[in-house]
């Protein structure tokens, strides 16, 4: 019996009562969430509810201090591990604001990442694979030798995150608003990219503000976050409800007073500026 | 801190009397150098801004370095490390000519005995290239400063590179060596005729065995109308060596002078690099890096002087310092009243790899014209935490991530070196100086067709 439980536990991300602070300020207030490998889950919630904080914390960004709860992958707590150790155990994060590294080309960045993950390809194999994935994301080969995310448009950065997802093939991927700031065609391209990698081997947590991507990538489960907690979980019908009513009624049911503006999902093409202290650069920076 | 140099600095101010005949003009120039060296005060950190952050100058005792007796030209007794450096330089630059000269006036060529038509020892130039040779001291006269003055009095071997109108493009790699306990005064003059092209690589090396040494090179460059000069300065002196370098280029109308540098050597040093854009349409692009570790101290001073209208200059200096290493940078843009329609930029970025490493940066604008576009900027800081996280989130270990980021930080300046072989070699020097593995574009890096093109911007 215990053996069976372990077998299930080994193939999922389990977040339990996770509490997180930034500079002494509490941002996550006991998050509970389970994402099994092989399933696609959506995480929705108003701006500022803590979705990105959760994503960064799962990957171990040093800005966030875990003050309570746990976060396990395949039964092992991630909390004592460095971000690279977590990534080498199969985790991946598509950043809401991907970081530029001037002077480091896309091809050499990914070569270093693959090497670190024990997947050594020949230069020829690597270039072949990258060309394939870049083409699938409807990007030009010239991106291979450009410096990663340096001078990329918002949409190009998001596509490049999906290129990396496809090349690195993690066991569990968190996509933090990879759909925001994309026009309809780009959104479809990115969604197709996600659908291509989706499968039994990969668990995916799609963090989104806007339900459109979920029309293309059907989630197995949907969670809603507000005020640093998961306040509702359900199936696809939860998305429809948010589309119809916004977040207000869900928030009220959880005893949270809606703040108005925050409750309205953003339109596509509108990308909120980075938060102070968020070192992802803004367009044109 | 006295403004008066200690008496022991005086010996170097006597004009050199080589055992070969020198033309009267050169003898007079040496005398003028010695005279200027006597009258101009030796620099000190307490005297103005120039040396304020390099107080090592106060403790420098010129008299403690010995200048060997000048020898006749000839490769027979060239030190082995210089001969090896020449072979390496030939491979790195694929240069038409590779010369070696050191304190004693040894000379040799990486191509056997053949001298290229335009790069000759001064003595020979006086007969063969009188028009060029007579320009010695025109760009940096003895009165320019006490260091130039001493170099003028004391240089043993000097090299003249003359590229005449209609000559094919020329690539010259000069290796300057210095022995333990010795001082070398390399002197170089480049004279380029209208519409010519020249790439000059100057490399400072040695000493080959432990010991202090002093290298005081002075280089003058005259870029004729429409000509294009690429000048590379490579500082690979040993860990106890001191470098005091002066270089000035005068750029005529529609001509370009592009300098790049890789500075990894020496205990401490100061390089003063000045460009005077004297003809309309003249331009200069200056870019390079200093990489320091242990207690290395690297002081660079650049001057972009716009003296004619419609001139362009862009200077980019990047440093990476670790341990207790220190970078000092002063970048001056000076725009004369006549230099309308000038575009001038200066930028210095410093990456500090340890809390005890230090970078001082002082880009300055002195603008006396009203229709100009000038910007300056400076940054200093540790490796960006979010860049580190981004790499780590892809599985890359922190040390490898740092190497990737640092390599990237230097990639664009290294990428601006004019010769492909030099770029590859520079990757290695930089990696060795950092005590790191090779950066992103180094060994094993994947090249795409686009990488082969010189990076610009
Ligand atoms: N670096 C930071 N410093 C201080 N507060 C922050 C920082 N990053 C995020 N926050 C705060 O944490 C809360 C959650 O932010 P975030 O996780 O980005 O939300 P979401 O991704 O759901 O929009 C917000 O109130 C935000 O202001
Ligand atoms: Mg967010």
């Amino acid at each position: 019996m215990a053996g069976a439980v372990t077998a299930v536990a080994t193939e999922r991300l389990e977040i339990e009562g996770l509490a997180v602070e930034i500079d002494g300020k509490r941002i996550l207030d006991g998050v509970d969430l389970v994402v099994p490998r092989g399933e696609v889950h959506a995480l929705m919630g108003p701006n500022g509810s803590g979705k990105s904080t959760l994503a960064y914390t799962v990957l171990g960004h040093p800005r966030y201090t875990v003050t309570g709860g746990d976060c396990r992958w395949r039964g092992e707590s991630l909390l004592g591990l460095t971000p690279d150790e977590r990534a080498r155990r199969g985790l991946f994060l598509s950043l809401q604001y991907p970081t530029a590294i001037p002077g480091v080309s896309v091809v050499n960045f990914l070569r270093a990442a693959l090497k670190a993950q024990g997947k050594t390809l020949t230069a020829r194999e690597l270039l072949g694979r990258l060309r394939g994935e870049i083409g699938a994301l409807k990007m030009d080969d010239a991106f291979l030798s450009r410096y990663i995310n340096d001078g990329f448009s918002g949409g190009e950065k998001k596509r490049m995150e999906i290129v990396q997802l496809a090349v690195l093939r993690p066991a569990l991927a968190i996509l933090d608003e990879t759909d925001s700031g994309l026009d309809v065609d780009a959104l479809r391209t990115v969604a197709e990219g996600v659908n291509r990698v989706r499968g039994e081997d990969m668990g995916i947590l799609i963090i989104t503000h806007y339900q459109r991507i979920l029309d293309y990538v059907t989630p197995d489960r949907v969670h809603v976050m507000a005020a640093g907690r998961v306040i509702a979980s359900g199936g696809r019908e939860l998305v429809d409800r948010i589309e119809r009513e916004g977040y207000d009624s869900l928030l009220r049911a959880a005893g949270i007073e809606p703040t108005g503006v925050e409750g309205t999902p953003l339109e596509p093409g509108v990308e909120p500026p980075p938060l102070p202290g968020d070192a992802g650069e803004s367009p044109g920076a | 801190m006295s403004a008066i140099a200690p008496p022991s600095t005086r010996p170097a101010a006597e004009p050199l009397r080589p055992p070969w005949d020198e033309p009267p003009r050169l003898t007079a120039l040496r005398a003028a150098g010695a005279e200027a060296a006597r009258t101009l005060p030796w620099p000190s950190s307490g005297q103005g801004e120039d040396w304020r952050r390099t107080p090592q100058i106060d403790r420098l005792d010129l008299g403690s370095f010995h200048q060997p007796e000048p020898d006749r030209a000839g490769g027979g007794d060239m030190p082995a490390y210089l001969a090896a450096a020449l072979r390496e330089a030939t491979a790195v630059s694929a240069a038409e000519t590779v010369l070696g000269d050191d304190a004693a006036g040894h000379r040799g060529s990486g191509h056997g005995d053949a001298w290229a038509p335009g790069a000759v020892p001064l003595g020979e130039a006086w007969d063969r290239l009188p028009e060029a040779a007579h320009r010695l001291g025109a760009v940096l006269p003895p009165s320019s400063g006490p260091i130039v003055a001493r170099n003028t009095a004391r240089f043993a071997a000097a090299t003249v590179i003359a590229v005449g109108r209609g000559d094919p493009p020329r690539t010259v790699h000069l290796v300057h060596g210095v022995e333990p306990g010795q001082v070398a005064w390399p002197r170089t003059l480049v004279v380029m005729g209208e519409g010519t092209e020249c790439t000059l690589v100057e490399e400072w090396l040695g000493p080959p065995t432990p010991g202090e040494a002093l290298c005081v090179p002075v280089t003058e460059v005259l870029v004729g109308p429409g000509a294009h000069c690429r000048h590379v300065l490579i500082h690979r002196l040993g860990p106890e060596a001191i470098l005091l370098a002066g270089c000035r280029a005068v750029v005529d109308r529609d001509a370009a002078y592009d300098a790049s540098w890789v500075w990894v050597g020496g205990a401490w040093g100061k390089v003063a690099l000045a460009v005077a854009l004297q003809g309309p349409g003249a331009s200069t692009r200056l870019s390079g890096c200093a990489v320091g570790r242990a207690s290395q101290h690297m002081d660079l001073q650049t001057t972009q002087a716009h003296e004619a209208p419609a001139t362009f200059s862009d200077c980019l200096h990047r440093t990476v310092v670790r341990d207790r290493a220190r970078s000092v940078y002063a970048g001056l843009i000076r725009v004369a009243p006549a230099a309308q329609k000038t575009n001038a930029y200066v930028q210095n970025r410093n990456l500090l790899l340890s809390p005890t490493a230090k970078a001082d940066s002082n880009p300055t604008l002195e603008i006396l014209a009203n229709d100009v576009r000038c910007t300056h900027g400076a940054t200093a800081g540790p490796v960006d935490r979010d860049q580190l996280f981004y790499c780590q989130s892809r599985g890359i270990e922190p040390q490898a991530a740092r190497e990737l980021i640092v390599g990237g930080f230097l990639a664009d300046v290294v990428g601006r070196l004019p010769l492909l072989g030099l770029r590859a070699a520079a990757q290695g020097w930089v990696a060795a100086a950092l005590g790191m593995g090779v950066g992103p574009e180094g060994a094993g890096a994947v090249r795409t067709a686009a990488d082969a093109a010189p990076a610009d911007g």
Side-chain angles (χ1 to χ4, degrees):
Chain A
M1 189 65 202
V5 169
T6 309
V8 173
T10 55
E11 290 302 315
R12 47 193 215 162
L13 176 71
E14 298 166 291
I15 298 164
E16 221 177 71
L18 193 68
V20 170
E21 290 183 358
I22 305 175
D23 301 332
K25 178 180 153 200
R26 173 159 285 215
I27 310 290
L28 298 188
D29 199 14
V31 173
D32 295 302
L33 187 67
V34 173
V35 184
R37 192 172 184 181
E39 290 187 13
V40 174
H41 287 209
L43 179 66
M44 304 182 73
N47 229 339
S49 55
K51 305 181 298 295
S52 292
T53 301
L54 179 66
Y56 273 122
T57 304
V58 171
L59 265 292
H61 193 295
R63 184 163 55 226
Y64 305 90
T65 311
V66 175
T67 54
D70 200 1
C71 176
R72 286 185 299 274
W73 167 239
R74 291 171 170 159
E76 175 193 26
S77 175
L78 294 171
L79 296 183
L81 302 178
T82 59
D84 52 299
E85 288 167 339
R86 299 180 199 208
R88 290 199 299 276
R89 280 165 172 71
L91 268 56
F92 177 89
L93 171 63
S94 167
L95 275 71
Q96 185 173 358
Y97 304 106
T99 312
I101 310 182
V104 179
S105 67
V106 167
V107 62
N108 282 316
F109 182 74
L110 279 166
R111 175 177 144 267
L114 283 164
K115 185 172 161 236
Q117 302 202 14
K119 301 164 192 162
T120 318
L121 304 181
T122 65
R124 197 194 184 85
E125 287 165 345
L126 174 63
L127 283 176
R129 192 141 148 209
L130 277 175
R131 287 209 175 93
E133 299 298 350
I134 275 188
L137 267 292
K138 300 196 166 68
M139 295 174 91
D140 194 279
D141 271 5
F143 277 94
L144 284 173
S145 49
R146 282 187 56 183
Y147 298 154
I148 187 131
N149 296 325
D150 189 26
F152 287 25
S153 71
E156 287 163 351
K157 288 181 187 173
K158 299 303 179 76
R159 289 174 201 231
M160 191 49 72
E161 295 293 280
I162 299 303
V163 168
Q164 295 179 48
L165 170 69
V167 169
L168 296 172
R169 298 282 165 152
L172 189 114
I174 302 175
L175 312 183
D176 189 2
E177 298 210 24
T178 303
D179 56 333
S180 69
L182 298 180
D183 62 31
V184 185
D185 291 334
L187 180 69
R188 192 182 300 125
T189 306
V190 161
E192 283 164 1
V194 175
N195 280 329
R196 258 196 317 278
V197 295
R198 155 174 209 179
E200 280 181 12
D201 287 347
M202 199 185 290
I204 303 178
L205 181 64
I206 299 181
I207 296 175
T208 181
H209 218 61
Y210 180 70
Q211 44 276 30
R212 187 96 153 246
I213 190 168
L214 303 177
D215 293 340
Y216 298 104
V217 186
T218 314
D220 297 304
R221 257 186 105 61
V222 178
H223 312 274
V224 177
M225 220 175 141
R229 285 182 285 135
V230 173
I231 57 162
S233 292
R236 165 79 226 196
E237 73 286 347
L238 207 46
V239 181
D240 300 330
R241 181 173 163 192
I242 293 166
E243 189 155 18
R244 276 195 321 271
E245 306 170 8
Y247 290 109
D248 287 10
S249 68
L250 284 167
L251 292 175
R252 286 205 185 84
I256 300 164
E257 196 46 41
T259 51
V261 167
E262 298 279 57
T264 317
L266 286 183
E267 290 306 307
V270 180
E271 195 170 342
L275 295 161
D278 209 356
E281 19 53 68
S282 52
Chain B
M1 276 189 217
S2 157
I4 296 163
S8 54
T9 64
R10 304 244 181 247
E14 290 306 313
L16 183 86
R17 293 189 212 291
W20 56 79
D21 288 339
E22 285 194 333
R25 217 190 116 99
L26 185 49
T27 308
L29 187 65
R30 288 192 187 283
E35 180 55 23
R38 261 188 296 276
T39 49
L40 296 170
W42 184 248
S44 83
S45 65
Q47 196 193 359
E49 269 300 298
D50 277 8
W51 290 86
R52 196 158 70 82
R53 292 183 172 83
T54 304
Q56 287 88 342
I57 192 71
D58 300 333
R59 298 186 296 273
L60 176 68
D61 181 3
L62 281 181
S64 68
F65 297 94
H66 162 72
Q67 182 174 4
E69 280 304 305
D71 198 355
R72 268 258 168 247
D77 47 1
M78 180 184 297
Y81 83 98
L82 272 184
L86 291 184
R87 283 192 298 275
E88 188 194 347
T90 312
V92 158
S93 302
E96 172 196 331
T97 308
V98 182
L99 306 173
D101 62 354
D102 66 1
H106 297 298
R107 307 200 139 268
S109 164
H111 291 287
D113 295 326
W115 295 93
V120 300
L122 182 63
E124 207 173 315
W126 222 269
D127 301 326
R128 279 177 43 197
L129 305 162
E131 274 181 41
H134 288 190
R135 311 293 276 273
L136 195 74
V139 176
L140 281 171
S143 59
S144 316
I147 293 172
V148 170
R150 276 176 172 74
N151 174 288
T152 308
R154 299 300 300 176
F155 68 79
T159 305
V160 177
I161 296 160
V163 192
R165 198 176 159 168
D167 285 355
R170 189 149 291 146
T171 301
V172 178
H173 190 138
L174 271 174
V175 176
H176 306 291
V178 62
E179 306 281 314
Q182 295 187 356
V183 54
W185 308 93
R187 181 78 178 220
T188 307
L189 169 65
V190 183
V191 181
M192 296 176 63
E194 183 166 356
T196 55
E197 276 184 56
C198 180
T199 301
L200 169 64
V201 182
E202 279 192 273
E203 183 171 357
W204 302 302
L205 275 172
T209 52
E212 286 192 27
L214 176 63
C215 183
V216 193
V218 169
T219 302
E220 300 172 273
V221 185
L222 275 157
V223 191
H228 188 180
C229 180
R230 296 178 193 85
H231 190 184
V232 184
L233 309 169
I234 299 169
H235 178 358
R236 295 172 64 202
L237 287 167
E240 294 174 77
I242 299 159
L243 178 77
L244 300 176
C247 173
R248 182 163 183 261
V250 170
V251 191
D252 209 331
R253 76 179 147 76
D254 298 323
Y257 171 78
D258 297 335
S260 36
W261 54 91
V262 178
W263 183 340
V264 295
W268 66 274
K270 185 175 178 91
V271 174
L273 172 62
V275 185
L277 301 170
Q278 294 190 343
S283 71
T284 183
R285 285 178 178 77
L286 312 172
S287 66
C289 61
V291 174
R293 63 190 303 184
S295 58
Q296 279 182 302
H297 181 107
M298 300 159 148
D299 181 341
L300 174 69
Q301 188 176 341
T302 59
T303 305
Q304 297 151 255
H306 292 258
E307 297 169 12
T311 45
F312 171 90
S313 73
D314 187 11
C315 179
L316 174 60
H317 182 48
R318 298 209 169 191
T319 84
V320 180
V321 276
R322 52 172 279 192
D323 308 329
R324 283 152 293 121
R326 183 171 182 192
S327 161
V328 176
Y329 175 70
L332 171 65
I333 292 175
R334 186 188 290 133
V335 182
Q340 299 293 6
K341 309 268 181 225
T342 281
N343 287 297
Y345 310 96
V346 59
Q347 193 197 67
N348 170 225
R349 298 188 58 194
N350 305 282
L351 199 52
L352 309 174
L353 297 188
S354 81
T356 47
K358 202 173 165 196
D360 286 297
S361 186
N362 187 22
T364 320
L365 307 180
E366 245 179 58
I367 299 172
L368 302 173
N370 51 24
D371 184 11
V372 301
R373 271 180 55 192
C374 296
T375 64
H376 69 298
T379 61
V383 170
D384 182 80
R385 187 164 73 160
D386 287 287
Q387 290 182 346
L388 202 54
F389 173 77
Y390 193 62
C391 292
Q392 286 184 274
S393 78
R394 287 355 181 199
I396 303 169
E397 287 170 6
Q399 184 55 19
R402 261 183 221 106
E403 291 179 16
L404 205 57
I405 294 164
V406 170
F409 178 77
L410 297 173
D412 57 348
V413 288
V414 172
R416 287 196 209 182
L417 290 171
L419 305 162
L420 275 177
L422 203 55
R423 273 180 227 167
Q427 287 285 354
W429 299 328
V430 163
L434 287 164
M436 287 183 158
V438 181
E441 313 301 332
V446 177
R447 286 201 163 273
T448 57
D451 285 341
D456 70 318

